[in-house]
Amino acid sequence: KLSFQVPTFLPSLLDNKSFVKLSNGAEACVCTLIPGVLPKTSYVEEIGRASGELLVALAKLDNIKPPSPTPPYHDLFRAHHAVTREKFYDIMRSSAFDHVRSATNRAIKEIEESEIKISNYLKSDFPVQLIHGDLHYDNILVHDGQVSGLLDFEFAAFDWRAME
């Protein structure tokens, strides 16, 4: 049992399913209300505690497959469907970025260095588990000084625990 809530999806009155397709083709769902407000930049230690509690709970779920096929975040060029390694470097080196070439070249260098580091990290034995993948202040609710809810699990993925 967690000390905070996570979204609980309510079934549709039409077909008892949690997700429905709207007339415009979009999917929608309704969740129970979790009391709280967005903490913005406060309650840092409490958020850290709740994040750790969530990671411990998610580590026990090693035999499930998240419904979202989110690739591991350390796989930089699979993190977004429209980006490949080749496209990224081609666009960054294109004339579209000439007006900020100095900054773009620094960014390219940092990404290239990150690729080398990630390649080396892949050889290590970092713990891999299910992670939330999108924990930030807009996905956290606080009530009376304590985390009351962690939201938006659509980017959950199996990745290095440290990526959380």
PDB file of all heavy atoms in Angstrom, residues 53-77:
ATOM      1  N   GLU A  53       9.604   5.604  -2.820  1.00  0.00           N
ATOM      2  CA  GLU A  53       8.560   4.642  -2.471  1.00  0.00           C
ATOM      3  C   GLU A  53       7.943   4.033  -3.736  1.00  0.00           C
ATOM      4  O   GLU A  53       7.713   2.820  -3.809  1.00  0.00           O
ATOM      5  CB  GLU A  53       7.477   5.343  -1.643  1.00  0.00           C
ATOM      6  CG  GLU A  53       6.361   4.440  -1.180  1.00  0.00           C
ATOM      7  CD  GLU A  53       5.282   5.171  -0.387  1.00  0.00           C
ATOM      8  OE1 GLU A  53       5.490   6.342   0.016  1.00  0.00           O
ATOM      9  OE2 GLU A  53       4.223   4.567  -0.197  1.00  0.00           O
ATOM     10  N   LEU A  54       7.704   4.879  -4.735  1.00  0.00           N
ATOM     11  CA  LEU A  54       7.157   4.374  -5.995  1.00  0.00           C
ATOM     12  C   LEU A  54       8.122   3.403  -6.671  1.00  0.00           C
ATOM     13  O   LEU A  54       7.719   2.340  -7.142  1.00  0.00           O
ATOM     14  CB  LEU A  54       6.832   5.534  -6.941  1.00  0.00           C
ATOM     15  CG  LEU A  54       6.280   5.120  -8.303  1.00  0.00           C
ATOM     16  CD1 LEU A  54       4.906   4.467  -8.155  1.00  0.00           C
ATOM     17  CD2 LEU A  54       6.229   6.305  -9.249  1.00  0.00           C
ATOM     18  N   LEU A  55       9.407   3.751  -6.705  1.00  0.00           N
ATOM     19  CA  LEU A  55      10.395   2.872  -7.338  1.00  0.00           C
ATOM     20  C   LEU A  55      10.464   1.505  -6.662  1.00  0.00           C
ATOM     21  O   LEU A  55      10.576   0.478  -7.333  1.00  0.00           O
ATOM     22  CB  LEU A  55      11.774   3.527  -7.340  1.00  0.00           C
ATOM     23  CG  LEU A  55      12.005   4.539  -8.445  1.00  0.00           C
ATOM     24  CD1 LEU A  55      13.337   5.240  -8.255  1.00  0.00           C
ATOM     25  CD2 LEU A  55      11.933   3.886  -9.805  1.00  0.00           C
ATOM     26  N   VAL A  56      10.389   1.493  -5.342  1.00  0.00           N
ATOM     27  CA  VAL A  56      10.405   0.217  -4.612  1.00  0.00           C
ATOM     28  C   VAL A  56       9.187  -0.623  -5.013  1.00  0.00           C
ATOM     29  O   VAL A  56       9.299  -1.819  -5.270  1.00  0.00           O
ATOM     30  CB  VAL A  56      10.444   0.454  -3.083  1.00  0.00           C
ATOM     31  CG1 VAL A  56      10.166  -0.831  -2.321  1.00  0.00           C
ATOM     32  CG2 VAL A  56      11.788   1.037  -2.682  1.00  0.00           C
ATOM     33  N   ALA A  57       8.030   0.024  -5.109  1.00  0.00           N
ATOM     34  CA  ALA A  57       6.810  -0.702  -5.491  1.00  0.00           C
ATOM     35  C   ALA A  57       6.890  -1.180  -6.939  1.00  0.00           C
ATOM     36  O   ALA A  57       6.531  -2.328  -7.244  1.00  0.00           O
ATOM     37  CB  ALA A  57       5.588   0.190  -5.291  1.00  0.00           C
ATOM     38  N   LEU A  58       7.369  -0.328  -7.835  1.00  0.00           N
ATOM     39  CA  LEU A  58       7.457  -0.706  -9.251  1.00  0.00           C
ATOM     40  C   LEU A  58       8.482  -1.818  -9.480  1.00  0.00           C
ATOM     41  O   LEU A  58       8.326  -2.616 -10.406  1.00  0.00           O
ATOM     42  CB  LEU A  58       7.800   0.512 -10.111  1.00  0.00           C
ATOM     43  CG  LEU A  58       6.706   1.579 -10.250  1.00  0.00           C
ATOM     44  CD1 LEU A  58       7.232   2.764 -11.055  1.00  0.00           C
ATOM     45  CD2 LEU A  58       5.445   1.005 -10.876  1.00  0.00           C
ATOM     46  N   ALA A  59       9.513  -1.877  -8.650  1.00  0.00           N
ATOM     47  CA  ALA A  59      10.533  -2.925  -8.796  1.00  0.00           C
ATOM     48  C   ALA A  59       9.932  -4.314  -8.613  1.00  0.00           C
ATOM     49  O   ALA A  59      10.455  -5.299  -9.128  1.00  0.00           O
ATOM     50  CB  ALA A  59      11.671  -2.704  -7.801  1.00  0.00           C
ATOM     51  N   LYS A  60       8.840  -4.398  -7.878  1.00  0.00           N
ATOM     52  CA  LYS A  60       8.187  -5.690  -7.645  1.00  0.00           C
ATOM     53  C   LYS A  60       7.374  -6.140  -8.859  1.00  0.00           C
ATOM     54  O   LYS A  60       6.921  -7.274  -8.915  1.00  0.00           O
ATOM     55  CB  LYS A  60       7.285  -5.598  -6.417  1.00  0.00           C
ATOM     56  CG  LYS A  60       8.063  -5.314  -5.138  1.00  0.00           C
ATOM     57  CD  LYS A  60       7.154  -5.080  -3.961  1.00  0.00           C
ATOM     58  CE  LYS A  60       7.979  -4.691  -2.742  1.00  0.00           C
ATOM     59  NZ  LYS A  60       7.136  -4.282  -1.628  1.00  0.00           N
ATOM     60  N   LEU A  61       7.194  -5.259  -9.828  1.00  0.00           N
ATOM     61  CA  LEU A  61       6.403  -5.562 -11.018  1.00  0.00           C
ATOM     62  C   LEU A  61       7.317  -5.891 -12.185  1.00  0.00           C
ATOM     63  O   LEU A  61       7.294  -5.252 -13.222  1.00  0.00           O
ATOM     64  CB  LEU A  61       5.511  -4.368 -11.380  1.00  0.00           C
ATOM     65  CG  LEU A  61       4.577  -3.861 -10.289  1.00  0.00           C
ATOM     66  CD1 LEU A  61       3.845  -2.618 -10.747  1.00  0.00           C
ATOM     67  CD2 LEU A  61       3.590  -4.958  -9.892  1.00  0.00           C
ATOM     68  N   ASP A  62       8.108  -6.924 -12.029  1.00  0.00           N
ATOM     69  CA  ASP A  62       9.099  -7.245 -13.051  1.00  0.00           C
ATOM     70  C   ASP A  62       8.570  -8.173 -14.136  1.00  0.00           C
ATOM     71  O   ASP A  62       9.239  -8.445 -15.115  1.00  0.00           O
ATOM     72  CB  ASP A  62      10.360  -7.829 -12.431  1.00  0.00           C
ATOM     73  CG  ASP A  62      10.101  -9.111 -11.666  1.00  0.00           C
ATOM     74  OD1 ASP A  62       8.933  -9.519 -11.541  1.00  0.00           O
ATOM     75  OD2 ASP A  62      11.077  -9.703 -11.186  1.00  0.00           O
ATOM     76  N   ASN A  63       7.349  -8.666 -13.997  1.00  0.00           N
ATOM     77  CA  ASN A  63       6.830  -9.606 -14.988  1.00  0.00           C
ATOM     78  C   ASN A  63       5.666  -9.025 -15.793  1.00  0.00           C
ATOM     79  O   ASN A  63       4.902  -9.765 -16.372  1.00  0.00           O
ATOM     80  CB  ASN A  63       6.408 -10.908 -14.307  1.00  0.00           C
ATOM     81  CG  ASN A  63       5.306 -10.676 -13.289  1.00  0.00           C
ATOM     82  OD1 ASN A  63       4.994  -9.545 -12.963  1.00  0.00           O
ATOM     83  ND2 ASN A  63       4.731 -11.744 -12.790  1.00  0.00           N
ATOM     84  N   ILE A  64       5.527  -7.703 -15.810  1.00  0.00           N
ATOM     85  CA  ILE A  64       4.460  -7.098 -16.595  1.00  0.00           C
ATOM     86  C   ILE A  64       5.052  -6.297 -17.748  1.00  0.00           C
ATOM     87  O   ILE A  64       6.206  -5.888 -17.711  1.00  0.00           O
ATOM     88  CB  ILE A  64       3.551  -6.188 -15.746  1.00  0.00           C
ATOM     89  CG1 ILE A  64       4.310  -4.944 -15.276  1.00  0.00           C
ATOM     90  CG2 ILE A  64       2.965  -6.917 -14.576  1.00  0.00           C
ATOM     91  CD1 ILE A  64       3.405  -3.819 -14.895  1.00  0.00           C
ATOM     92  N   LYS A  65       4.241  -6.081 -18.738  1.00  0.00           N
ATOM     93  CA  LYS A  65       4.653  -5.279 -19.880  1.00  0.00           C
ATOM     94  C   LYS A  65       3.795  -4.017 -19.869  1.00  0.00           C
ATOM     95  O   LYS A  65       2.565  -4.116 -19.914  1.00  0.00           O
ATOM     96  CB  LYS A  65       4.440  -6.069 -21.172  1.00  0.00           C
ATOM     97  CG  LYS A  65       4.874  -5.335 -22.409  1.00  0.00           C
ATOM     98  CD  LYS A  65       4.699  -6.251 -23.607  1.00  0.00           C
ATOM     99  CE  LYS A  65       4.870  -5.673 -24.913  1.00  0.00           C
ATOM    100  NZ  LYS A  65       5.513  -4.746 -25.457  1.00  0.00           N
ATOM    101  N   PRO A  66       4.421  -2.836 -19.814  1.00  0.00           N
ATOM    102  CA  PRO A  66       3.614  -1.615 -19.814  1.00  0.00           C
ATOM    103  C   PRO A  66       2.793  -1.514 -21.099  1.00  0.00           C
ATOM    104  O   PRO A  66       3.253  -1.937 -22.162  1.00  0.00           O
ATOM    105  CB  PRO A  66       4.651  -0.489 -19.762  1.00  0.00           C
ATOM    106  CG  PRO A  66       5.933  -1.122 -19.383  1.00  0.00           C
ATOM    107  CD  PRO A  66       5.841  -2.565 -19.772  1.00  0.00           C
ATOM    108  N   PRO A  67       1.582  -0.979 -21.003  1.00  0.00           N
ATOM    109  CA  PRO A  67       0.752  -0.865 -22.201  1.00  0.00           C
ATOM    110  C   PRO A  67       1.347   0.087 -23.248  1.00  0.00           C
ATOM    111  O   PRO A  67       1.101  -0.043 -24.421  1.00  0.00           O
ATOM    112  CB  PRO A  67      -0.578  -0.336 -21.681  1.00  0.00           C
ATOM    113  CG  PRO A  67      -0.291   0.213 -20.339  1.00  0.00           C
ATOM    114  CD  PRO A  67       0.919  -0.492 -19.820  1.00  0.00           C
ATOM    115  N   SER A  68       2.154   1.030 -22.812  1.00  0.00           N
ATOM    116  CA  SER A  68       2.813   1.946 -23.743  1.00  0.00           C
ATOM    117  C   SER A  68       4.177   1.359 -24.101  1.00  0.00           C
ATOM    118  O   SER A  68       4.960   1.037 -23.225  1.00  0.00           O
ATOM    119  CB  SER A  68       3.004   3.311 -23.077  1.00  0.00           C
ATOM    120  OG  SER A  68       3.813   4.130 -23.875  1.00  0.00           O
ATOM    121  N   PRO A  69       4.461   1.241 -25.385  1.00  0.00           N
ATOM    122  CA  PRO A  69       5.740   0.640 -25.781  1.00  0.00           C
ATOM    123  C   PRO A  69       6.893   1.639 -25.731  1.00  0.00           C
ATOM    124  O   PRO A  69       7.655   1.787 -26.670  1.00  0.00           O
ATOM    125  CB  PRO A  69       5.459   0.187 -27.216  1.00  0.00           C
ATOM    126  CG  PRO A  69       4.470   1.191 -27.715  1.00  0.00           C
ATOM    127  CD  PRO A  69       3.625   1.553 -26.519  1.00  0.00           C
ATOM    128  N   THR A  70       7.007   2.345 -24.629  1.00  0.00           N
ATOM    129  CA  THR A  70       8.048   3.357 -24.473  1.00  0.00           C
ATOM    130  C   THR A  70       9.414   2.678 -24.413  1.00  0.00           C
ATOM    131  O   THR A  70       9.639   1.827 -23.565  1.00  0.00           O
ATOM    132  CB  THR A  70       7.823   4.175 -23.190  1.00  0.00           C
ATOM    133  OG1 THR A  70       6.509   4.730 -23.228  1.00  0.00           O
ATOM    134  CG2 THR A  70       8.834   5.289 -23.050  1.00  0.00           C
ATOM    135  N   PRO A  71      10.324   3.058 -25.307  1.00  0.00           N
ATOM    136  CA  PRO A  71      11.666   2.471 -25.251  1.00  0.00           C
ATOM    137  C   PRO A  71      12.427   3.017 -24.043  1.00  0.00           C
ATOM    138  O   PRO A  71      12.058   4.055 -23.487  1.00  0.00           O
ATOM    139  CB  PRO A  71      12.310   2.926 -26.559  1.00  0.00           C
ATOM    140  CG  PRO A  71      11.582   4.159 -26.936  1.00  0.00           C
ATOM    141  CD  PRO A  71      10.188   4.021 -26.394  1.00  0.00           C
ATOM    142  N   PRO A  72      13.489   2.353 -23.642  1.00  0.00           N
ATOM    143  CA  PRO A  72      14.295   2.886 -22.535  1.00  0.00           C
ATOM    144  C   PRO A  72      14.809   4.287 -22.885  1.00  0.00           C
ATOM    145  O   PRO A  72      15.176   4.552 -24.027  1.00  0.00           O
ATOM    146  CB  PRO A  72      15.458   1.899 -22.432  1.00  0.00           C
ATOM    147  CG  PRO A  72      15.026   0.683 -23.159  1.00  0.00           C
ATOM    148  CD  PRO A  72      14.032   1.123 -24.189  1.00  0.00           C
ATOM    149  N   TYR A  73      14.811   5.160 -21.918  1.00  0.00           N
ATOM    150  CA  TYR A  73      15.212   6.549 -22.171  1.00  0.00           C
ATOM    151  C   TYR A  73      16.698   6.672 -22.495  1.00  0.00           C
ATOM    152  O   TYR A  73      17.107   7.642 -23.115  1.00  0.00           O
ATOM    153  CB  TYR A  73      14.820   7.443 -21.001  1.00  0.00           C
ATOM    154  CG  TYR A  73      13.323   7.590 -20.931  1.00  0.00           C
ATOM    155  CD1 TYR A  73      12.560   6.810 -20.068  1.00  0.00           C
ATOM    156  CD2 TYR A  73      12.657   8.461 -21.773  1.00  0.00           C
ATOM    157  CE1 TYR A  73      11.186   6.916 -20.036  1.00  0.00           C
ATOM    158  CE2 TYR A  73      11.282   8.578 -21.746  1.00  0.00           C
ATOM    159  CZ  TYR A  73      10.551   7.802 -20.872  1.00  0.00           C
ATOM    160  OH  TYR A  73       9.186   7.904 -20.860  1.00  0.00           O
ATOM    161  N   HIS A  74      17.495   5.702 -22.092  1.00  0.00           N
ATOM    162  CA  HIS A  74      18.910   5.782 -22.448  1.00  0.00           C
ATOM    163  C   HIS A  74      19.116   5.489 -23.933  1.00  0.00           C
ATOM    164  O   HIS A  74      20.188   5.737 -24.475  1.00  0.00           O
ATOM    165  CB  HIS A  74      19.758   4.838 -21.585  1.00  0.00           C
ATOM    166  CG  HIS A  74      19.475   3.387 -21.794  1.00  0.00           C
ATOM    167  ND1 HIS A  74      18.625   2.671 -20.991  1.00  0.00           N
ATOM    168  CD2 HIS A  74      19.919   2.528 -22.736  1.00  0.00           C
ATOM    169  CE1 HIS A  74      18.569   1.427 -21.405  1.00  0.00           C
ATOM    170  NE2 HIS A  74      19.341   1.310 -22.481  1.00  0.00           N
ATOM    171  N   ASP A  75      18.099   4.975 -24.593  1.00  0.00           N
ATOM    172  CA  ASP A  75      18.147   4.741 -26.036  1.00  0.00           C
ATOM    173  C   ASP A  75      17.713   6.045 -26.714  1.00  0.00           C
ATOM    174  O   ASP A  75      16.584   6.191 -27.178  1.00  0.00           O
ATOM    175  CB  ASP A  75      17.226   3.576 -26.397  1.00  0.00           C
ATOM    176  CG  ASP A  75      17.481   3.045 -27.787  1.00  0.00           C
ATOM    177  OD1 ASP A  75      18.179   3.711 -28.578  1.00  0.00           O
ATOM    178  OD2 ASP A  75      16.963   1.954 -28.087  1.00  0.00           O
ATOM    179  N   LEU A  76      18.626   7.002 -26.746  1.00  0.00           N
ATOM    180  CA  LEU A  76      18.323   8.388 -27.105  1.00  0.00           C
ATOM    181  C   LEU A  76      17.516   8.555 -28.377  1.00  0.00           C
ATOM    182  O   LEU A  76      16.617   9.381 -28.433  1.00  0.00           O
ATOM    183  CB  LEU A  76      19.629   9.188 -27.262  1.00  0.00           C
ATOM    184  CG  LEU A  76      20.500   9.354 -26.035  1.00  0.00           C
ATOM    185  CD1 LEU A  76      21.761  10.129 -26.394  1.00  0.00           C
ATOM    186  CD2 LEU A  76      19.735  10.054 -24.936  1.00  0.00           C
ATOM    187  N   PHE A  77      17.828   7.811 -29.383  1.00  0.00           N
ATOM    188  CA  PHE A  77      17.213   8.052 -30.681  1.00  0.00           C
ATOM    189  C   PHE A  77      15.986   7.190 -30.941  1.00  0.00           C
ATOM    190  O   PHE A  77      15.474   7.159 -32.051  1.00  0.00           O
ATOM    191  CB  PHE A  77      18.257   7.915 -31.788  1.00  0.00           C
ATOM    192  CG  PHE A  77      19.367   8.909 -31.604  1.00  0.00           C
ATOM    193  CD1 PHE A  77      20.610   8.512 -31.162  1.00  0.00           C
ATOM    194  CD2 PHE A  77      19.155  10.258 -31.824  1.00  0.00           C
ATOM    195  CE1 PHE A  77      21.623   9.438 -30.963  1.00  0.00           C
ATOM    196  CE2 PHE A  77      20.157  11.197 -31.629  1.00  0.00           C
ATOM    197  CZ  PHE A  77      21.392  10.782 -31.197  1.00  0.00           C
TER     198      PHE A  77
END
